[in-house]
Amino acid sequence: MTANPTPTAVLVHGAFADAASWNGVVAELQGHGIPVVAPPNPLRGLACDAAYIASVAAQIEGPVVLVGHSYGGALISVAGTAENVVGLVYVAAYVPEEGESLGELQDRFPLSPLVSNLKEATYPVRDAEPAVEVTIRAEAFPEIFAADVPADVTKVLAVTQRPLASSAFTETASAAAWKTKPSWALVAAADQAINPDVERFGAKRAGATIVELAGASHAVAVSRPREVAELIRDAVRATS
């Protein structure tokens, strides 16, 4: 009997970051022989971003474990319905229900400091009025996003942020793949971008296998790549 192939881990970054935020995790996974893809997340809205991630997953030969950080968690909840997706891993992430927006999920609990430290700008949309996007104020970025990351690194991260379309907070999730796919979740206990209770609530509702890291910031994939990779490896082993 032939063993199932090792699933490919597809690492989906969230808002205010890019795929390089996974670099430490990628190195850990590659060191254990796990195939990895870390695609760019367009950050232009829940429906279109999830469709892009689903397309990336569907074009990978063999099984896929989707891993979503932050806003990326909402994307894998929708994109995870792709046929070859065999597991979901949420890293300091939103885990929405079908028909629920990120704003509605957040409003179940006290708001994090992120909300009052967002800076708005506009971007052009073809044949439409300019749309609104948000970033974290640079002076607040280290404490809110990456308090456990060295200061010289956070200074770079603060000015290389990728903005998120503000509509991402009001669009509703068209699916909740965690209802039919096994899931794992890492809660960053010192998160100042997403209230950790939002992470815990979504993970418990999904029936996920949960790991909580004390003192971990929102940028846990940067500050604690070994622990993040270990949870992903658990998911890959369980779905192989």
Side-chain angles (χ1 to χ4, degrees):
M1 183 175 176
T2 304
N4 291 332
T6 300
T8 297
V10 175
L11 312 182
V12 182
H13 68 82
F16 322 124
D18 59 24
S21 60
W22 292 113
N23 283 357
V25 176
V26 169
E28 289 283 340
L29 294 175
Q30 289 180 333
H32 286 86
I34 294 171
V36 189
V37 175
N41 178 353
L43 301 178
R44 296 294 79 168
L46 182 51
C48 62
D49 294 345
Y52 176 73
I53 297 303
S55 175
V56 170
Q59 293 177 73
I60 293 173
E61 188 174 340
V64 164
V65 169
L66 285 180
V67 183
H69 172 248
S70 188
Y71 164 66
L75 303 187
I76 70 170
S77 293
V78 177
T81 56
E83 189 175 342
N84 64 328
V85 173
V86 294
L88 308 166
V89 182
Y90 296 91
V91 179
Y94 294 108
V95 189
E97 168 66 280
E98 183 177 354
E100 181 178 57
S101 71
L102 300 189
E104 290 168 336
L105 178 53
Q106 281 191 149
D107 287 347
R108 292 173 177 267
F109 300 93
L111 295 177
S112 73
L114 171 74
V115 179
S116 60
N117 283 284
L118 291 175
K119 180 181 178 181
E120 291 190 352
T122 59
Y123 64 95
V125 179
R126 185 176 179 181
D127 299 327
E129 291 295 312
V132 176
E133 62 183 13
V134 293
T135 53
I136 303 172
R137 296 185 185 280
E139 65 274 15
F141 185 93
E143 181 180 355
I144 288 174
F145 198 88
D148 59 349
V149 175
D152 59 335
V153 176
T154 61
K155 285 180 181 179
V156 175
L157 296 178
V159 299
T160 58
Q161 292 181 62
R162 289 192 53 220
L164 174 69
S166 61
S167 61
F169 292 104
T170 55
E171 282 188 66
T172 58
S174 61
W178 47 261
K179 291 184 174 180
T180 57
K181 309 286 175 78
S183 59
W184 289 258
L186 186 149
V187 174
D191 201 330
Q192 296 293 300
I194 300 177
N195 184 332
D197 284 336
V198 173
E199 299 171 20
R200 293 184 189 105
F201 171 80
K204 289 177 182 176
R205 181 171 62 179
T209 299
I210 302 171
V211 170
E212 184 156 335
L213 293 186
S217 75
H218 193 61
V220 62
V222 177
S223 63
R224 311 275 287 270
R226 183 170 296 177
E227 289 98 323
V228 172
E230 188 174 339
L231 184 63
I232 297 168
R233 285 165 51 205
D234 288 347
V236 167
R237 280 195 296 262
T239 55
S240 292

